[in-house]
Amino acid sequence: MIVYSDIEPVYYLLPLIGFVVGLFGTMLGGGGGFIFLPLLTILIGVPMQTAVITSLVATLPIAIVGTVGHSRKSNIDFRTGLVFALAGIAGAFAGAGITSLISPEQLRISFGIYSVLIAAHIAYGTMRKDEQKQKMETSSIPSGIKNKAKGSFFGLFAGIITGTFGTSGTAPVIAGLFSMQIPLKLVIGTSLLVVLANTVFAIGAHFLVGQIDFTLVLFLTGGSVIGSLLGPNLLAKIKTDKSESKARYIYAVAMVIIGILMITGLKK
């Protein structure tokens, strides 16, 4: 169901926020839902279930534009992305079912805990990167099989997160791709492809039972599409070989901050 909320003064800041999210989302591999959901619930006070589906719809243009842009720059590993996406589709429908079974308060605090846990996983994986490489080289299990297993696990988890929280499931996708030792630019582009697939199916799963605030969608996407067009081009000019560890830690810190905001938001 589509609804149109009355325009509040804070709405006029949303295109600028959308622009920043679209720009950095396509440079860092995220659809933007990880920012949109806390923004809608904490800053604007949108009910949690409405914020979930609204966040998904606002994320879709970023995922589409970012995927096309990164495809043109050859930044997408389509074979790996397909493994993540197929598992993620099943997870998206499961996540939509979970949303209808828990309260808005439980949904919000679960999102905060999830954010902190994923941040810890990425930070720990970064510190152990050299050791993980050694294990991959000496393992008797072919890396292709291991990568498919990882892709299925993280893809399913990402789909569940997308369907449950409306955040596009970027964090587990990024964590899974990083664990495969894929170059940073391929991680970013492939992540956006998976985000696109998960978001489309999660919107379909939520559409009949959720309310999309289309006024908020229009304000957010007004800026996010422009940022999404610029992101892949800026990334192509940046040398990422020496910045992968820093990028991982940035992801982790951002996730911890957002997780804490969502958890403490319950007490306000």
Side-chain angles (χ1 to χ4, degrees):
M1 179 186 296
I2 296 175
V3 298
Y4 294 87
S5 60
D6 295 330
I7 297 175
E8 303 288 342
V10 71
Y11 285 20
Y12 294 105
L13 292 174
L14 297 183
L16 176 60
I17 296 172
F19 172 80
V20 174
V21 171
L23 178 66
F24 286 99
T26 50
M27 290 182 70
L28 299 175
F34 204 86
I35 302 297
F36 288 156
L37 185 71
L39 175 72
L40 294 173
T41 55
I42 296 174
L43 181 63
I44 300 178
V46 177
M48 193 66 181
Q49 276 86 355
T50 301
V52 168
I53 181 65
T54 300
S55 173
L56 284 169
V57 176
T59 295
L60 190 58
I62 299 176
I64 293 172
V65 174
T67 298
V68 172
H70 280 289
S71 178
R72 290 175 177 172
K73 302 291 182 182
S74 299
N75 288 342
I76 297 179
D77 183 336
F78 285 96
R79 186 172 298 178
T80 300
L82 180 62
V83 174
F84 275 79
L86 288 176
I89 290 169
F93 283 98
I98 292 172
T99 301
S100 64
L101 298 176
I102 60 179
S103 69
E105 292 78 12
Q106 290 170 329
L107 191 59
R108 186 185 293 181
I109 198 168
S110 298
F111 176 80
I113 294 170
Y114 145 76
S115 302
V116 174
L117 291 176
I118 285 293
H121 174 84
I122 291 178
Y124 178 76
T126 302
M127 289 187 290
R128 297 286 302 274
K129 187 170 71 169
D130 290 338
E131 184 178 337
Q132 288 173 347
K133 278 185 178 180
Q134 270 191 336
K135 287 181 179 180
M136 288 180 70
E137 289 170 1
T138 59
S139 172
S140 60
I141 302 176
S143 61
I145 295 175
K146 292 175 71 175
N147 284 348
K148 285 180 181 179
K150 286 181 178 180
S152 297
F153 171 76
F154 282 102
L156 178 65
F157 186 35
I160 292 172
I161 295 302
T162 301
T164 304
F165 299 126
T167 64
S168 72
T170 303
V173 174
I174 292 285
L177 292 171
F178 274 147
S179 73
M180 296 178 180
Q181 308 300 328
I182 294 174
L184 182 59
K185 288 185 179 180
L186 278 181
V187 168
I188 294 168
T190 305
S191 172
L192 280 164
L193 174 66
V194 178
V195 163
L196 174 58
N198 287 352
T199 301
V200 168
F201 283 92
I203 289 173
H206 276 282
F207 188 76
L208 296 178
V209 296
Q211 288 188 333
I212 304 169
D213 189 328
F214 210 69
T215 304
L216 289 169
V217 170
L218 291 175
F219 273 91
L220 286 169
T221 57
S224 66
V225 171
I226 298 173
S228 302
L229 290 168
L230 296 176
N233 293 316
L234 289 177
L235 183 67
K237 300 176 182 178
I238 298 174
K239 293 183 179 180
T240 60
D241 294 341
K242 298 182 180 180
S243 61
E244 291 196 28
S245 292
K246 290 182 180 178
R248 297 184 190 200
Y249 284 122
I250 289 171
Y251 283 124
V253 170
M255 289 174 199
V256 169
I257 292 172
I258 291 173
I260 292 171
L261 287 174
M262 292 296 284
I263 293 170
T264 57
L266 289 172
K267 300 176 183 179
K268 295 181 181 179

